[in-house]
Amino acid sequence: MPLKLIRADITKLSCDAIVNAANSTLLGGGGVDGAIHKAAGRGLLLECMKLGGCKPGQAKITGGYNLPCKYVIHTVGPKWRGGTHGEKETLQSCYREALRLAEENGCGSVAFPLISAGVYGYPKAQAFRVAVDAITEYLLTGDLLVYLVIFDSAAYQISEKLYGEIAAYIDDCYVERHSDTPAQQYSRLYDGESFPLAPSAPDVPCAAANPADDTDMFCDALKTCAAKQPVELEEALRRLDESFSEMLLRKIDEKGISDAACYKKANIDRKLFSKIRSNRLYKPSKPTALAFAVALELPLAETGELLQKAGFALSHSSKFDIIVEYFIRRGVYDIFRINEALFAFDQNLLGG
Ligand code: ADP
């Protein structure tokens, strides 16, 4: 199951469990803890009073009471003390323990806030990194749908340097877009290759000086054209023969990876992958198609080919496309890193 970054108020989510960044008394506090208790009502507090508190890095589960979720999993994050007091390990443990409890209680979906990233002072970008790493590690074997809920500004999630570089890259691409011809844009986008399906101009000879010769030459040119086109058309139709699904499965084989490794790396749900696998004419969305290109670590030209099978292309008039291109060009195929950047720029995310 995938990890989804969403911007929301966690108290409004109707997934099976939401996680509370609680304090060790478990008796309510400020921030997300206060919001959860307020929305859940007094029943939650009464149940929490029986739990005897909770140590940092551990987790306990209660009912959801007036919340739209079934359960609240309370975990206590570390207070930031400079990063040298095992804060990272404690924070990792919060995510692992909460996920374990969710699984043990038969949950299908769970939503996390950014634990410790508020009053407890864990630097937000680092807290975010720990969260994403811990959840993705779990997802290698686990089968929950996990939401990471971002409540405030997103720009901090990636380092300022990366944010600046991507912003500059977007600017450059937009500028290039206004100064290049479409052919140049395509060639730039696909590492200097010419457009693969562009119809090649027929070899029409230049007009001759003599008008009689002109007619003959024109007829010859037409014949050449007529003789050539069926072959080109056949060739084009042959290319069309391979569908998105077939190309995807072929490339998975060529890479020598398992289906599961591929859809997990693509942050795609197993059910969606099964649909694509069983329906050769399945047309995925652009974020899904691109997610597979990233999971397969395809270079830009091959990414373009796979996208084309789904009826899409990378375009410099879309920030989403430019950001994905930025990472592919640099050989960065970690879908969660790419999604962090997409999220920071308020774009759709890759994957299911
Ligand atoms: P901690 O004490 O662990 O730092 P906080 O509640 O102060 O916990 O903050 C944890 C994170 O939860 C912060 O990133 C904060 O922005 C976020 N947050 C606060 N309220 C909500 C909410 N209603 N839904 C989701 N996230 C929230």
Side-chain angles (χ1 to χ4, degrees):
M1 286 284 204
L3 162 63
K4 291 182 187 252
L5 302 182
I6 54 169
R7 205 184 304 278
D9 175 348
I10 205 163
T11 64
K12 304 276 191 288
L13 300 180
S14 57
C15 48
D16 293 335
I18 63 168
V19 175
N20 180 17
N23 61 47
S24 55
T25 67
L26 295 189
L27 300 179
V32 72
D33 193 9
I36 288 174
H37 273 273
K38 190 169 168 217
R42 196 162 162 73
L44 179 63
L45 180 62
L46 292 176
E47 187 176 351
C48 282
M49 285 165 81
K50 296 181 198 148
L51 295 178
C54 182
K55 291 195 177 120
Q58 295 187 354
K60 295 196 173 171
I61 192 163
T62 63
Y65 298 91
N66 298 336
L67 290 161
C69 59
K70 271 192 250 164
Y71 301 107
V72 179
I73 298 174
H74 308 263
T75 185
V76 182
K79 288 184 184 150
W80 182 254
R81 290 159 66 201
T84 52
H85 294 76
E87 291 93 328
K88 186 175 173 189
E89 290 71 22
T90 307
L91 190 53
Q92 285 169 336
S93 168
C94 288
Y95 285 96
R96 288 185 193 133
E97 288 301 300
L99 287 163
R100 187 180 57 74
L101 271 183
E103 227 177 46
E104 276 177 16
N105 286 275
C107 296
S109 57
V110 57
F112 284 89
L114 269 188
I115 301 164
S116 285
V119 177
Y120 280 8
Y122 210 109
K124 284 182 187 278
Q126 290 181 46
F128 183 75
R129 188 71 271 139
V130 173
V132 171
D133 288 349
I135 295 167
T136 52
E137 188 191 287
Y138 162 81
L139 287 174
L140 290 176
T141 50
D143 209 18
L144 281 166
L145 171 56
V146 184
Y147 294 95
L148 186 55
V149 180
I150 307 300
F151 193 57
D152 33 25
S153 156
Y156 61 77
Q157 280 128 33
I158 54 176
S159 73
E160 269 177 45
K161 183 168 167 282
L162 179 59
Y163 192 90
E165 277 173 16
I166 296 173
Y169 189 71
I170 292 172
D171 279 353
D172 283 354
C173 290
Y174 274 133
V175 170
E176 285 173 40
R177 183 175 157 250
H178 292 300
S179 55
D180 285 5
T181 63
Q184 284 170 326
Q185 281 173 38
Y186 187 90
S187 146
R188 183 164 35 71
L189 202 54
Y190 294 100
D191 289 331
E193 285 185 19
S194 58
F195 193 87
L197 284 186
S200 50
D203 284 337
V204 181
C206 297
N210 179 339
D213 289 351
D214 241 10
T215 319
D216 287 349
M217 288 178 99
F218 181 66
C219 290
D220 284 350
L222 271 185
K223 275 184 214 149
T224 313
C225 243
K228 272 187 141 186
Q229 264 179 356
V231 178
E232 286 174 1
L233 192 58
E234 244 175 57
E235 172 60 22
L237 288 173
R238 238 200 317 278
R239 282 199 213 184
L240 278 178
D241 267 345
E242 190 178 42
S243 67
F244 175 84
S245 162
E246 287 165 340
M247 182 181 268
L248 174 67
L249 297 176
R250 173 170 64 78
K251 285 191 184 285
I252 290 174
D253 280 350
E254 284 169 7
K255 291 272 168 192
I257 57 173
S258 67
D259 287 358
C262 180
Y263 67 69
K264 286 195 173 192
K265 201 164 168 228
N267 198 31
I268 298 277
D269 181 29
R270 177 164 36 87
K271 284 189 202 137
L272 175 57
F273 183 83
S274 302
K275 264 194 216 162
I276 297 174
R277 180 174 246 303
S278 58
N279 178 359
R280 70 172 283 276
L281 295 178
Y282 188 90
K283 285 272 184 262
S285 68
K286 190 170 184 180
T288 296
L290 261 178
F292 280 117
V294 169
L296 290 163
E297 304 193 357
L298 303 182
L300 269 182
E302 283 182 56
T303 297
E305 281 170 20
L306 187 64
L307 275 184
Q308 212 172 49
K309 294 289 179 187
F312 303 112
L314 282 177
S315 151
H316 275 189
S317 53
S318 144
K319 269 193 198 177
F320 171 84
D321 291 9
I322 293 171
I323 293 169
V324 177
E325 179 192 314
Y326 171 92
F327 284 99
I328 293 179
R329 276 195 183 284
R330 282 156 185 76
V332 176
Y333 290 102
D334 178 341
I335 204 140
F336 298 105
R337 302 238 163 209
I338 301 175
N339 274 348
E340 285 163 33
L342 287 167
F343 194 75
F345 283 87
D346 283 326
Q347 300 301 302
N348 284 336
L349 305 185
L350 294 179

